[in-house]
Amino acid sequence: MSLVLRYLCVAVCAIALSAGWCRCEETTPPKTLSLSEIVFSGLRPVKELDPLRYPKERRVCVQNYLAAIAPDSYLRTFEPPKSPERVILVRRVALTEQMVVLLGPQVRTEAEAFARVMPLTTEWEGMSEGPIGEADFVDNWLRKRPMTPIAPFLHLLKAHRLRAGYEAARARHEENLWPVLARRYREALNMAKSSSNPLISCIADDLEAQPFVYVEGQGMP
């Protein structure tokens, strides 16, 4: 069960146990919620992110990220969706707010336009096509809008989706695909790491430090 589906299952079960029909194969999120999961899944509020449970060498990044978020920000106050129907809406709003936090309020219009049409789904079902499609969508946005103010975040988002696609491709033994995705991932990650925005570059480091982002046990690209 992937991280997105696992968290959705937990949320739905929370309101359905009394009816006696809810069952999840896995109902326990990772013990240490990562900064990458907060930024890229759009399903967990930042109040669940504890800097003290982070390795010392990466703790400053988490603290700076949290400091950049206003006390009344949607990212602090929203609740995980309790129905599949709300998942996409919550993820679109969270995606917009992540870009505003990391890049500033001046990008809101562009961030909203991007999040409104990003091809998000509730679940990739263990396949590589979903995250690859989202990475390709980012590429198309950057190609059509080379001066877009949200470019630093888009490189970061693209790297995350390509890593997810890589892990799925490895798990499904798509041997002609995963080397290509590994190369594209490194390119996108290096673009994010080279950003002059310290939050973008340190989140890129956090992404690279994760043992997996979608399918466990597939190694690093």
Side-chain angles (χ1 to χ4, degrees), residues 12-145:
V12 173
C13 281
I15 63 172
L17 283 172
S18 61
W21 56 263
C22 186
R23 180 185 178 200
C24 290
E25 294 179 1
E26 296 182 52
T27 58
T28 305
K31 290 183 179 180
T32 301
L33 181 64
S34 73
L35 176 57
S36 296
E37 177 66 12
I38 285 285
V39 171
F40 299 117
S41 79
L43 292 174
R44 308 294 294 275
V46 297
K47 64 186 179 183
E48 297 183 16
L49 186 60
D50 182 0
L52 296 181
R53 299 184 70 178
Y54 240 70
K56 287 184 179 180
E57 65 273 16
R58 303 206 313 276
R59 194 174 298 166
V60 172
C61 180
V62 179
Q63 293 170 332
N64 290 342
Y65 168 78
L66 292 173
I69 304 174
D72 60 347
S73 168
Y74 174 87
L75 296 176
R76 291 189 185 276
T77 60
F78 85 93
E79 296 296 328
K82 292 183 170 61
S83 69
E85 293 76 17
R86 283 191 54 80
V87 169
I88 301 302
L89 174 61
V90 168
R91 293 185 72 200
R92 292 194 191 284
V93 177
L95 182 61
T96 296
E97 296 305 320
Q98 293 289 357
M99 286 186 269
V100 171
V101 164
L102 296 174
L103 302 175
Q106 71 278 3
V107 308
R108 179 172 291 280
T109 299
E110 182 86 349
E112 289 175 344
F114 176 84
R116 189 165 51 247
V117 295
M118 176 76 170
L120 298 173
T121 60
T122 56
E123 172 54 30
W124 293 326
E125 299 179 349
M127 309 288 281
S128 61
E129 287 85 350
I132 293 172
E134 294 185 28
D136 290 343
F137 180 85
V138 171
D139 266 344
N140 289 333
W141 189 277
L142 290 168
R143 188 178 305 114
K144 293 177 180 178
R145 301 167 177 82

